[in-house]
Amino acid sequence: MEISGSLNAIGYGLSAIGGGIGVGLVFAAFIQGVARQPEAQRVLQPLAFMGLAFTEALAILGLVFAFVWKL
């Protein structure tokens, strides 16, 4: 039995799912932190956006690797 096709799409799909879960966890922690201590919003908000940026950068990196290894 021969398996044909590319695993690049599966790899990118998994990295996109991971990015979605990561963004959800980052903002869930941000909302929970602000709900517990509203005065800490000014400190937590930049950290939440930095976490969002890092998580999305990893998802974009997965897309880049999917295209690079397809060659």
Side-chain angles (χ1 to χ4, degrees):
M1 174 179 6
E2 183 178 330
I3 299 175
S4 63
S6 177
L7 292 176
N8 292 335
I10 293 172
Y12 175 65
L14 291 175
S15 70
I17 290 170
I21 291 171
V23 168
L25 290 175
V26 165
F27 279 102
F30 169 68
I31 290 170
Q32 187 177 24
V34 171
R36 288 176 184 239
Q37 251 183 331
E39 66 273 5
Q41 182 194 6
R42 291 180 187 250
V43 175
L44 294 176
Q45 192 168 8
L47 293 174
F49 286 129
M50 195 161 57
L52 168 76
F54 287 143
T55 305
E56 289 299 321
L58 288 175
I60 292 170
L61 192 62
L63 175 66
V64 169
F65 284 154
F67 282 123
V68 167
W69 274 303
K70 190 171 186 169
L71 300 175

